[in-house]
Amino acid sequence: ASNVARLFLQILRIPISVHAAWLTAAFLLNLNGWVTVSGLSISKQLYIARFTSLLAALIGMVSIIVSGDPFISATVIWTLKAISQEAKRYPNDITIDSKGNFMRDDDKNRFSRFISSLSNLVSLTLSGVMIAKALGANDLLEKLHESMYVHE
């Protein structure tokens, strides 16, 4: 019965992890949407977009290391890839600041490449942790988990 309960909890964890990660991503996307319509300068819009994207990538990398839950990282990868693709196609009339300046195509392309690189970094982290786990080579991660969760 213990194995069945454990399997049930593992299956139940998938939608909860995906939903939690997607809510975090949606918050960051909505924050960037507000920044876009707020009239801030294009350079500030890009700075905030890069910062929130970096924050999302850090969440994706740290979550797999700390919790061992691959679904949060997978959702972050999916989100970053989608943003990377959309950033290239963003219409100029949406990315306008209070002075009437539009985001240039080269800014969009650089931002898209940056987001794609972050997604790849999270993918590498996820892959590395999963491979280490499969090979039984994550003694360091187990010690980290023990130091965080086992209190004597």
Side-chain angles (χ1 to χ4, degrees), residues 11-87:
I11 292 171
L12 189 61
R13 183 177 83 183
I14 295 170
I16 292 170
S17 296
V18 170
H19 186 68
W22 182 246
L23 283 175
T24 303
F27 166 75
L28 294 173
L29 286 170
N30 286 329
L31 175 65
N32 281 291
W34 174 82
V35 167
T36 300
V37 298
S38 71
L40 286 174
S41 69
I42 294 297
S43 62
K44 287 181 182 173
Q45 289 180 34
L46 283 168
Y47 174 78
I48 292 169
R50 287 183 185 109
F51 176 77
T52 56
S53 300
L54 183 60
L55 182 61
L58 287 172
I59 290 169
M61 290 185 300
V62 169
S63 67
I64 186 65
I65 293 169
V66 172
S67 71
D69 187 345
F71 301 107
I72 296 171
S73 296
T75 303
V76 168
I77 294 165
W78 169 47
T79 303
L80 290 173
K81 282 293 185 191
I83 292 170
S84 172
Q85 293 302 310
E86 282 298 312

Side-chain angles (χ1 to χ4, degrees), residues 107-127:
D107 286 332
K108 292 179 196 177
N109 289 330
R110 276 197 303 271
F111 179 69
S112 176
R113 286 191 306 270
F114 174 71
I115 300 302
S116 183
S117 296
L118 289 177
S119 177
N120 292 340
L121 186 59
V122 177
S123 297
L124 285 171
T125 304
L126 175 61
S127 299

Side-chain angles (χ1 to χ4, degrees), residues 1-13:
S2 169
N3 289 339
V4 172
R6 181 173 287 148
L7 177 64
F8 177 74
L9 288 174
Q10 291 296 328
I11 292 171
L12 189 61
R13 183 177 83 183

